[in-house]
Amino acid sequence: MELLVVIAIIGILIGLLLPAVQAAREAARRMECTNKIKQLALAQHNHLDTYGYFPSRAGQESLGAKTYYSTAYWNKWLVSTVVGWAFPTLPYIEQMAVYERAAPAYRAVMTDQPLTGLTFHNPYYIDTTNIFAQTQQAFICPSEPNWQSPCEKDTNDGRQSVSNYRCCVGDYLIDPSAWSECHTPRGAFTAGGKRTTTTATILDGTSNTIFFAEGIVYSFNKAKNPVRGGIASVTTLASTSNIATCMAAVRDANDPNFFTGTFTIDTIHGAPGRGYLAAWPPVSSVVCMMPPNSPFCTRASASGGSVYGGNYTTLTSSSYHNGGVNVAMGDGSVRFVSDTVDTGDVNQTITMNWSNATGQSPWGIWGAMGSIDGGESKTL
């Protein structure tokens, strides 16, 4: 009898201790994540000291890619469009060896020089011999369970290391097919050579401007499409929509943590987080409009399709941390933003050309933190 009592007490103690242990482990993972995203933000300032401007979301001037559209030949197009902000960050996070193996060839193709003695490491189609197939832990949150998980499209272009950290491109619904919108975004990360970002162009102040936010890596292998980290196809998401359309219409009424139906991505490069090097907006970027961990919506047909071609995409931030996401500000500080952060009036009509607008963000404190020159004094 006494033995049964002892066993029962031990069982109760284990039941009480396990949640505490799990919470402590997650707290440690979140702290490590905080440090990683902080280092990425600080690395942007090292790039600024070297080149006089921050890296771009795409079209790195430091590699000679001064013009976003450049289709003279395939390799030049790749460097101009595919190489995202993570590549020029590598030298400043102790990954100079990887950077130096690829950068000389990139500069050569951008200046029409021969690749004599150089190896062009394709940033788009990656096989096991490509240096970009190496896992880059600096871009992976320790709470991310899918950082090594294979996917149905894990062939050549799916072997690139994943990333949980996305650059902020502003506070507007982006149409990834209209690349010109990204030349003059509301956010800190631009594309091409029409505009470079410096501390002088961040009129709201670096301490009030988000550089990076977290994003869950999309998993192709889940039986159901989760709201957090998943993608919804919303055929009604258009220039007359509001974000409430995405917030409500796509959820399963019987299980609000999942979307109704499924969404099939026809290419790995449309999948959020699937490729730390890639510059495609759904893969590399976030928008401060939808609150953290809310639906990631794209306007596409119900049968699926690429989320970066011809589809408006909300680029929502997300994480496996309870209740919100880590964000790194332009001054290198890190803040935890709650899922309930003020996002203004979610019922107001989305303006597709908001990237060309001026003035305060319509998306509350969250939008104000995403814009670089809205003139807002709002803080968390």
Side-chain angles (χ1 to χ4, degrees), residues 353-366:
N353 294 322
W354 179 246
S355 59
N356 298 319
T358 58
Q360 297 190 7
S361 173
W363 311 115
I365 293 175
W366 186 229

Side-chain angles (χ1 to χ4, degrees), residues 225 227 231-233 248-255 258-263:
N225 195 5
V227 169
I231 298 177
S233 174
V250 298
R251 292 178 186 264
D252 187 329
N254 298 318
D255 193 347
F258 293 89
F259 291 122
T260 56
T262 59
F263 181 77

Side-chain angles (χ1 to χ4, degrees), residues 276-289:
Y276 82 100
L277 187 70
W280 306 120
V283 180
S284 66
S285 313
V286 295
V287 167
C288 291
M289 183 180 67

Side-chain angles (χ1 to χ4, degrees), residues 120-298:
F120 186 87
H121 290 273
N122 194 315
Y124 191 86
Y125 294 107
I126 297 173
D127 56 32
T128 55
T129 64
N130 192 304
I131 60 171
F132 301 124
Q134 301 173 2
T135 299
Q136 289 290 343
Q137 290 290 349
F139 299 93
I140 301 172
C141 171
S143 295
E144 171 61 60
N146 295 312
W147 69 275
Q148 276 189 319
S149 63
C151 62
E152 63 187 38
K153 300 179 184 300
D154 197 7
T155 53
N156 282 344
D157 58 346
R159 294 195 177 117
Q160 191 175 157
S161 180
V162 302
S163 176
N164 288 113
Y165 305 118
R166 321 279 165 79
C167 68
C168 181
V169 294
D171 58 339
Y172 62 99
L173 190 65
I174 187 172
D175 176 3
S177 66
W179 295 105
S180 59
E181 285 190 358
C182 297
H183 286 302
T184 55
R186 295 265 293 178
F189 286 80
T190 182
K194 287 188 176 181
R195 193 207 79 185
T196 54
T197 304
T198 67
T199 52
T201 60
I202 303 177
L203 300 182
D204 292 343
T206 55
S207 62
N208 297 321
T209 302
I210 292 176
F211 269 30
F212 299 109
E214 289 186 88
I216 287 174
V217 175
Y218 183 81
S219 174
F220 289 90
N221 297 323
K222 292 183 177 179
K224 296 183 72 175
N225 195 5
V227 169
R228 186 168 64 171
I231 298 177
S233 174
V234 185
T235 55
T236 56
L237 192 66
S239 59
T240 58
S241 299
N242 54 53
I243 63 176
T245 304
C246 182
M247 290 286 286
V250 298
R251 292 178 186 264
D252 187 329
N254 298 318
D255 193 347
N257 291 321
F258 293 89
F259 291 122
T260 56
T262 59
F263 181 77
T264 303
I265 298 178
D266 61 11
T267 172
I268 193 79
H269 293 286
R274 286 286 176 180
Y276 82 100
L277 187 70
W280 306 120
V283 180
S284 66
S285 313
V286 295
V287 167
C288 291
M289 183 180 67
M290 300 287 289
N293 291 314
S294 60
F296 187 124
C297 295
T298 180

Side-chain angles (χ1 to χ4, degrees), residues 302-316:
S303 61
S306 169
V307 300
Y308 66 79
N311 306 290
Y312 296 103
T313 310
T314 61
L315 306 182
T316 309

